[in-house]
Each structure stands twice: as structure tokens, then as C-alpha cells.
């Protein structure tokens, strides 16, 4: 039987989310099975284990190992989970969830990009572990200082978290340069928090900085799309996104949507813990930049012009 901690019931995380998350950590033969499942999950729900093994160029034993690796008891349970997931997914959803074709017009591109971004938020939220998030909220709320590491597209997400926490009065730094990240990590200590953001979980600069922070005694957290990636080996807390990339949407695009969803949840949780301080800080910072906003009322603008 499919367990509750593997696939949630209706409306929550799809079995395909779990498979994509674990894909890089599977054995090569198991990855071939995973790719067959991801390519056409509806047909897998109707095919025998022998047919799937032949399609993946492997054995029935490997298919069974794949099922256990992703947290289901066996192939019959996988078929049930995929059938239920297919039943919840409309034909229109499947069309919008397909890859962007070279001949898609801009209207189709808008639909597919919008669908993919919305799905990234929905599926990320569906599989996000509240217990682990709560522990990280507690860590950050009580921290002396917080370091956030990220390079490339993840650097912008790191800056977003830094700006949010700084606005409510917490000491937070975002580092995208390797040398700066390592030197900052080297002066962390127990009671500090270091957060590494990497879609693949295999960005060496981010993993190295997080490892150094952990060595110095800081509590470490990783935000990644893959639950068995290298960054998770140096993290005390692991939060995952659920992002599907397409030909034109590399890790630098859709990944940030899922990452920002998790960052927003973390920030709000921390702000709740410092509610009075957060409200006062947000009001003060809003007032401080108020003079740099143009008046949106046309009548007021005309008065200023005359």
C-alpha cells in the first residue's frame, strides 16, 4: 500500500513529484525506469511490470527496486498511485504541462509558462514538510546572524531572503562570491544559521560554503529540488522545491518560482515569531522610502507639475 509519508492524498503531492526529486540519486538502470514513467505516466498505470522492464531495457527486479527507492511497496502500488494521479489531471492540464514546442505561438507560450509557474508553486507547497520548515523557522528566529549562500539564479533568491529578514530587523547576509561566502562561513559559530540555495543541489561553491559553516558549529539548511543531492549531506535541515523544467525553461527560470515560494513561507513564519518587532520594522522601512514613490493620483501629479 502507498504510505502516507510518500504520496499525500487528493490534491497534494503527485507521485511524479517524488520521482523527479529523487531522480539524480537513483542507480542508472533505475533512472531509465524513472524516465519511462515520467514520459507517459498514464500508460504505465495500464502496463505490466514486464512491459515496463522491457521498455527501460532492464529487469523486473530493477523495476521493483525502483518502486522501493521512491517509497512505494512495489509495482502494483505504483500503478495505483499513477492511475489516481492521472484521474486528477485533466486533458487540458496535460497539454499545458507539455514541453514548449518550437512552433508554439506566443499565446501558447504564455499559457504554458503561466501553467508551469503556477504548477511549481502548487507542487512545491504540496510536498513542503511543515515540521522541517518549523524547525528552520525556530532556528532563524533565534539566530545571532544568518548567512545565505547562492550563485547564479539562486543568488537572486538568496538576496530576496536577505532583504526580507533585514527589513524585520534580523542580521542576515547573502553571499554569491565564493571567497566572501567562505570567509563569512568561517566566522560563524553555534547559534548562527547558514542556508544554501541550489536548484540542483550540486553547486560546488554553495556546498563548500555550507560545509564550512557546519564545521564552525552553525545550524545549516539546504533548499534544493533534489532530496538526495550533495548539498543535503552538509545540511541539518533540508527543504525541497518541486519544479519541472522544459527545453526553454532551464534551472535559472522555473526553479526560482519554487524557491521563492519556500522563502516566503520561511519569512512569514519568522515574522510571526517577532510580530511586534516585524510590524514596527516594516512600517519604519516603508516610511523611510516613502518619499521616493511617485503619487499615483493624476490630480496630485498635475498640481505638482504646475
Amino acid at each position: 500500500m502507498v504510505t502516507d509519508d510518500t504520496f499525500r492524498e487528493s490534491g497534494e503531492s503527485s507521485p511524479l513529484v517524488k520521482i523527479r526529486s529523487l531522480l539524480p540519486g537513483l542507480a542508472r538502470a533505475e533512472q531509465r525506469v524513472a524516465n519511462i514513467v515520467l514520459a507517459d505516466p498514464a500508460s504505465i498505470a495500464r502496463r505490466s511490470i514486464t512491459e515496463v522492464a522491457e521498455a527501460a531495457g532492464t529487469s523486473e527486479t530493477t523495476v521493483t527496486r525502483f518502486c522501493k527507492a521512491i517509497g512505494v511497496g512495489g509495482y502494483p502500488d505504483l500503478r495505483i498511485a499513477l492511475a489516481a494521479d492521472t484521474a486528477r489531471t485533466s486533458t487540458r492540464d496535460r497539454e499545458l504541462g507539455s514541453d514548449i514546442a518550437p512552433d508554439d505561438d506566443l499565446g501558447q507560450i504564455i499559457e504554458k509558462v503561466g501553467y508551469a509557474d503556477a504548477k511549481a508553486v502548487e507542487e512545491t507547497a504540496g510536498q513542503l514538510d511543515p515540521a522541517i520548515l518549523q524547525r528552520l523557522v525556530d532556528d532563524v528566529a533565534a539566530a545571532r546572524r544568518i548567512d545565505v549562500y547562492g550563485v547564479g539564479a539562486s543568488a537572486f533568491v538568496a538576496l530576496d531572503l536577505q532583504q526580507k529578514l533585514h527589513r524585520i530587523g534580523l542580521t542576515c547576509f547573502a553571499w554569491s562570491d565564493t571567497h566572501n561566502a567562505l570567509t563569512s562561513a568561517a566566522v560563524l559559530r553555534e547559534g548562527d544559521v547558514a542556508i544554501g540555495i541550489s536548484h540542483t543541489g550540486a553547486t560546488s561553491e554553495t556546498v563548500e560554503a555550507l560545509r564550512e559553516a557546519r564545521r564552525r558549529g552553525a545550524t545549516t539548511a539546504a533548499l534544493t529540488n533534489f532530496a538526495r543531492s550533495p548539498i543535503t549531506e552538509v545540511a541539518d535541515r533540508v527543504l525541497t522545491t518541486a519544479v519541472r523544467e522544459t527545453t526553454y525553461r532551464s534551472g535559472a527560470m522555473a526553479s526560482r518560482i519554487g524557491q521563492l515560494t519556500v522563502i516566503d513561507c520561511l519569512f512569514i513564519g519568522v515574522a510571526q515569531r517577532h510580530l511586534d518587532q516585524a510590524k514596527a520594522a516594516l512600517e519604519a522601512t516603508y516610511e523611510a522610502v516613502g518619499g521616493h514613490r511617485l503619487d499615483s493620483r493624476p490630480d496630485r501629479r498635475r498640481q505638482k507639475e504646475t
Side-chain angles (χ1 to χ4, degrees):
M1 182 176 293
V2 179
T3 57
D4 291 339
D5 60 346
T6 304
F7 306 131
R8 300 179 186 179
E9 293 299 329
S10 60
E12 284 84 5
S13 184
S14 159
L16 303 179
V17 172
K18 183 78 170 182
I19 294 169
R20 283 191 293 268
S21 172
L22 297 176
L23 183 59
L26 297 174
R28 186 163 298 180
E30 293 170 358
Q31 287 182 348
R32 293 201 300 271
V33 178
N35 288 327
I36 292 292
V37 174
L38 292 172
D40 192 359
S43 73
I44 299 300
R46 302 188 299 269
R47 296 164 76 178
S48 70
I49 189 172
T50 303
E51 292 173 317
V52 172
E54 290 177 353
T58 188
S59 65
E60 295 180 17
T61 301
T62 298
V63 176
T64 300
R65 281 202 307 269
F66 162 76
C67 294
K68 291 181 179 178
I70 65 169
V72 297
Y75 186 68
D77 296 320
L78 177 63
R79 291 180 63 187
I80 292 170
L82 291 174
D85 189 65
T86 301
R88 291 195 299 266
T89 306
S90 68
T91 301
R92 180 62 171 165
D93 285 343
R94 287 193 289 274
E95 290 174 356
L96 290 177
S98 63
D99 206 347
I100 296 173
D103 58 349
D104 280 349
D105 60 34
L106 279 177
Q108 292 171 307
I109 291 170
I110 290 169
E111 280 192 296
K112 288 186 176 181
V113 170
Y115 177 88
D117 285 353
K119 204 67 177 175
V121 172
E122 178 187 350
E123 293 186 342
T124 292
Q127 58 80 57
L128 193 58
D129 191 323
I132 295 176
L133 179 62
Q134 183 62 63
R135 287 196 285 273
L136 184 56
V137 166
D138 295 340
D139 296 331
V140 172
R144 179 185 70 101
R145 61 175 278 183
I146 305 105
D147 267 19
V148 191
Y149 312 123
V151 301
S154 294
F156 297 105
V157 180
L159 282 169
D160 184 75
L161 178 57
Q162 185 270 333
Q163 187 263 354
K164 282 180 166 64
L165 295 179
H166 188 73
R167 280 198 66 183
I168 60 173
L170 300 187
T171 303
C172 182
F173 303 95
W175 307 103
S176 58
D177 176 84
T178 304
H179 286 199
N180 288 337
L182 286 170
T183 54
S184 181
V187 297
L188 296 181
R189 61 175 188 258
E190 186 175 350
D192 297 332
V193 172
I195 302 172
I197 302 174
S198 170
H199 173 71
T200 64
T203 307
S204 60
E205 297 90 339
T206 305
V207 174
E208 187 179 1
L210 206 62
R211 181 183 291 112
E212 178 65 19
R214 192 184 208 187
R215 189 170 76 88
R216 299 291 178 171
T219 298
T220 56
L223 175 54
T224 179
N225 204 64
F226 303 103
R228 294 182 182 174
S229 54
I231 198 171
T232 65
E233 298 173 5
V234 294
D236 302 307
R237 319 276 187 240
V238 177
L239 295 173
T240 54
T241 55
V243 177
R244 288 178 277 181
E245 298 295 352
T246 67
T247 302
Y248 295 93
R249 294 174 58 76
S250 68
M253 296 176 67
S255 65
R256 75 181 185 276
I257 303 298
Q259 290 170 347
L260 288 170
T261 299
V262 179
I263 291 305
D264 284 348
C265 293
L266 173 62
F267 167 70
I268 293 171
V270 173
Q272 284 182 327
R273 297 290 298 274
H274 296 280
L275 192 56
D276 292 338
Q277 173 187 325
K279 284 183 176 179
L282 289 171
E283 289 173 1
T285 54
Y286 183 86
E287 182 180 350
V289 299
H292 293 271
R293 294 189 180 90
L294 297 175
D295 198 316
S296 61
R297 293 168 293 183
D299 57 331
R300 292 295 182 90
R301 288 204 304 273
R302 285 194 293 270
Q303 287 176 12
K304 290 180 180 179
E305 291 169 0
T306 58

